[in-house]
Amino acid sequence: MNWTLEVVPVPVTDMDRAKEFYGDRCGFKIDLDDEVAPGMRIIQATPPGSRCSIALLDGMPTMPGTKEMAPGTLHGLQLCVTDIEAARAELVERGVEVSSVMHVGATGWEDGKGETWNSFMTFEDPDGNGWVVQEAPSELSER
């Protein structure tokens, strides 16, 4: 049996601001924006080419056995691209504040691209949830 990661909840304070950030600025496809029950809104967004989406939730009760995340506490979600410099330029053009491209070197984090699998950049959404973007050598379907 496959266990596929398909949706990751991202805690935000303002659903419309987050929808604009992820949809317009980051280029995620808005798959769903619906009130699933009175006072419970879900926005589901998918990064280009990804099979995994994010879910922005408002008014949803915490599922038994789980804990609620405060907005801005989700860090380390990682996206992969095949051209990190082009991805960075696209985000900057769309108005996203993005770090420089960095790699892990002999003394820790250093500016510039590294070798295969060793080029990264970071950005945050308006609530402070942190993302990492890594350059991959090829599309996922080719690996």
Side-chain angles (χ1 to χ4, degrees):
M1 171 185 354
N2 292 330
W3 291 47
T4 60
L5 180 62
E6 297 194 14
V7 180
V8 175
V10 176
V12 299
T13 55
D14 182 320
M15 296 283 281
D16 292 320
R17 179 179 71 175
K19 179 181 178 181
E20 185 273 333
F21 177 80
Y22 286 108
D24 295 341
R25 292 201 196 163
C26 294
F28 289 21
K29 180 180 179 284
I30 304 300
D31 303 309
L32 173 75
D33 183 352
D34 195 21
E35 186 174 64
V36 296
M40 295 181 205
R41 181 179 177 195
I42 296 176
I43 298 173
Q44 187 167 319
T46 305
S50 180
R51 293 190 62 199
C52 185
S53 302
I54 62 170
L56 312 171
L57 309 171
D58 184 41
M60 291 285 284
T62 304
M63 187 172 178
T66 67
K67 295 181 175 128
E68 186 173 348
M69 285 185 289
T73 60
L74 186 61
H75 295 279
L77 288 178
Q78 189 162 316
L79 299 167
C80 286
V81 297
T82 55
D83 184 337
I84 199 158
E85 291 163 331
R88 184 179 187 286
E90 182 179 328
L91 288 173
V92 168
E93 183 178 304
R94 291 172 171 261
V96 178
E97 286 189 34
V98 187
S99 73
S100 61
V101 174
M102 299 171 280
H103 68 279
V104 179
T107 61
W109 286 104
E110 299 176 3
D111 284 332
K113 286 182 68 166
E115 298 297 321
T116 304
W117 291 108
N118 190 14
S119 296
F120 302 86
M121 64 182 176
T122 62
F123 68 92
E124 291 184 348
D125 74 8
D127 285 293
N129 295 301
W131 292 80
V132 175
V133 181
Q134 179 182 27
E135 185 174 80
S138 60
E139 294 289 346
L140 181 60
S141 62
E142 298 171 14
R143 289 186 244 141

